[in-house]
Amino acid sequence: MKVVAFIPVRGGSKSIPLKNIKLFCGKPLVCWSIEALENCELVDEIIVATDSDKIENIVLMQAYKKTKIYRRSAENACDTASSESVMLEYINYAQLSDSSIFMLVQATSPLTETCHFTEALSQYNGGKYDSMLSCVRNYRFYWNVDGTSKNYDYMNRPRRQDFQGELMENGAFYINTVRHIREVGNRLNGKIGIYEMPEYTATEIDEPDDWIVLENLMRKHVLSKTETLRKPIKLFLSDVDGTLTDGGMYYSENGDELKKFNTRDGMAFQLLREAGIKTGIITSEDCLLNRSRAKKLKVDYLYQGKKAGGKLSVVKKICEDMGITLQDVAYIGDDVNCIELLSWVGLAACPSDACDKVKALPGIEVMSRKGGDACVREFVEKIL
């Protein structure tokens, strides 16, 4: 059976404007859900249903393999439209077969990982349930407005470890068949199964405070795992203008061109050498200043005058000579001519003042420092 993951994302969010593509831990919010689904072998197709050109452009820029854009109607993109309305709109448009599995995924739950989708779909495929939803176990005590306790006996208050808690819908995803959704017009029906997710996934992003809370939870529970599993870097590369420098062009009265470099970035290259990591500079501009700086830094590779596509081809050749892959390479750059290379290397980073298209790349690490302000040193310290 075909499995379709469906992510409805409107451009008209009121509480957080364009929240679905606002950077969350350095990546557009919707990209976290898309990438978790892209890595799920049980998902055949991912549909991002949007009414926004900006959201469409951000998603298409990532060159995902299983993801497609569906332009939802204005009627089903207004504040009062339900998720069911746009689900049914797409199901009828795509003429999906009744036997297809349809999974509604909410972009506002970015802590949902590939393992959660895989486990839930495997559970659903067991055939015990007509539909399923994700929940977390909540250990709060609830009261009714008339002053009576709802889920515990206050005269015999249980300890947390003895309290089973209650299952709370966390809104991460819902699974059903196309046939059931057509028949009842709802994401759930019949015998409903529960996929229990970790307690830290309870919050959905709706208000600005949710953003702050979830970014910290993401770093603690999700990103910390990827950092632990990351392969050692064997080659470190950097751009120059806007990365090793502040991007400014300075001229003396005699017309001499000057650039401002940061000594802390210089120490970063020394630390890399001491760690046995090869280093290099790849830049679009060809000038004597860059050669002088590269010589002082004692880099192993210097390539100048390399435009966007040229940068990637050069690095591929370096990797071939070193007997490594692009996944063994770390690169930091700041502008559109760096995007192709940033998209291919194993570890990508950019200064905090990089262009928006660079900062929107999936998986990129956005430094807290600007270009020329020791952002390269910050990146190197993360690596080491």
Side-chain angles (χ1 to χ4, degrees):
M1 290 184 292
K2 182 178 182 180
V3 176
V4 177
F6 188 78
I7 311 176
V9 281
R10 295 191 306 121
S13 172
K14 294 291 189 290
S15 57
I16 307 174
L18 281 173
K19 69 178 177 184
N20 291 305
I21 52 172
K22 177 180 166 69
L23 292 183
F24 178 86
C25 287
K27 186 186 300 185
L29 179 62
V30 68
C31 290
W32 290 102
S33 297
I34 293 173
E35 288 170 26
L37 290 163
E38 284 272 339
N39 291 322
C40 179
E41 294 182 356
L42 298 181
V43 172
D44 299 304
E45 193 172 54
I46 305 159
I47 304 299
V48 177
T50 187
D51 61 325
S52 166
D53 291 339
K54 289 183 177 179
I55 294 176
E56 178 176 356
N57 291 337
I58 287 292
V59 172
L60 293 179
M61 190 191 308
Q62 316 308 321
Y64 293 127
K65 294 180 180 179
K66 296 191 287 189
T67 303
K68 298 177 182 178
I69 294 290
Y70 172 68
R71 292 303 294 242
R72 59 201 286 181
S73 68
E75 178 186 359
N76 286 324
C78 65
D79 293 340
T80 57
S82 66
S83 295
E84 272 78 3
S85 64
V86 71
M87 287 164 58
L88 288 165
E89 176 190 322
Y90 176 74
I91 286 172
N92 292 328
Y93 163 82
Q95 297 183 326
L96 296 179
S97 68
D98 281 350
S99 62
S100 295
I101 294 174
F102 196 90
M103 180 163 62
L104 171 64
V105 177
Q106 305 283 27
T108 48
S109 297
L111 274 65
T112 311
E113 299 179 69
T114 299
C115 61
H116 301 139
F117 291 125
T118 302
E119 290 171 1
L121 285 167
S122 297
Q123 187 176 333
Y124 183 73
N125 288 336
K128 293 173 61 178
Y129 305 107
D130 296 306
S131 59
M132 283 184 63
L133 77 158
S134 59
C135 290
V136 296
R137 196 167 291 276
N138 187 298
Y139 293 94
R140 297 285 186 180
F141 295 135
Y142 293 101
W143 287 74
N144 299 305
V145 292
D146 63 359
T148 58
S149 56
K150 182 178 287 188
N151 65 339
Y152 81 112
D153 178 4
Y154 69 89
M155 294 296 292
N156 296 286
R157 180 183 293 267
R159 297 180 304 166
R160 180 184 171 90
Q161 59 265 40
D162 299 325
F163 182 52
Q164 291 186 349
E166 292 188 335
L167 288 170
M168 181 185 79
E169 191 172 328
N170 70 348
F173 58 84
Y174 307 81
I175 306 173
N176 208 335
T177 63
V178 168
R179 179 172 66 84
H180 290 155
I181 295 170
R182 279 197 176 115
E183 287 176 352
V184 301
N186 197 288
R187 69 191 74 180
L188 296 170
N189 79 298
K191 186 177 181 181
I192 300 172
I194 303 294
Y195 175 72
E196 190 171 339
M197 292 181 65
E199 191 176 359
Y200 62 80
T201 65
T203 305
E204 298 177 75
I205 291 182
D206 189 41
E207 300 295 334
D209 284 351
D210 300 331
W211 201 279
I212 297 168
V213 170
L214 279 180
E215 279 200 314
N216 283 306
L217 290 172
M218 172 67 87
R219 294 186 185 100
K220 178 181 179 180
H221 295 286
V222 180
L223 296 183
S224 60
K225 290 187 290 189
T226 58
E227 288 170 2
T228 302
L229 295 172
R230 183 177 292 145
K231 290 172 59 179
I233 292 300
K234 298 177 182 177
L235 173 63
F236 179 90
L237 301 171
S238 176
D239 185 29
V240 177
D241 295 319
T243 303
L244 283 170
T245 77
D246 59 5
M249 304 298 292
Y250 305 92
Y251 296 91
S252 70
E253 290 185 357
N254 297 324
D256 297 320
E257 183 180 311
L258 307 172
K259 293 185 181 184
K260 174 175 166 284
F261 293 92
N262 193 298
T263 57
R264 292 187 179 87
D265 286 340
M267 176 56 71
F269 281 84
Q270 180 178 325
L271 294 172
L272 288 165
R273 282 199 309 276
E274 291 173 355
I277 298 173
K278 298 286 187 181
T279 62
I281 288 175
I282 308 255
T283 176
S284 301
E285 187 183 28
D286 189 351
C287 70
L288 180 59
L289 276 174
N290 292 340
R291 287 195 289 274
S292 299
R293 185 58 177 162
K295 184 176 180 180
K296 187 172 181 63
L297 294 177
K298 299 179 182 178
V299 299
D300 299 285
Y301 303 96
L302 170 64
Y303 287 91
Q304 299 198 87
K306 298 300 176 185
K307 305 302 180 184
K311 288 188 176 186
L312 179 59
S313 61
V314 162
V315 177
K316 284 182 176 179
K317 181 63 169 63
I318 295 174
C319 289
E320 186 179 334
D321 292 343
M322 287 182 61
I324 63 175
T325 70
L326 286 166
Q327 290 301 303
D328 300 313
V329 179
Y331 176 60
I332 180 168
D334 71 302
D335 217 330
V336 291
N337 59 341
C338 301
I339 286 177
E340 186 177 35
L341 183 53
L342 286 167
S343 301
W344 278 89
V345 296
L347 188 57
C350 67
S352 63
D353 58 345
C355 76
D356 289 341
K357 286 187 177 180
V358 168
K359 290 194 286 188
L361 289 173
I364 195 164
E365 299 210 21
V366 181
M367 300 296 101
S368 64
R369 292 180 176 273
K370 296 180 179 180
D373 186 31
C375 67
V376 173
R377 175 67 173 273
E378 181 184 352
F379 185 34
V380 167
E381 287 181 347
K382 283 178 177 287
I383 292 172
L384 297 179

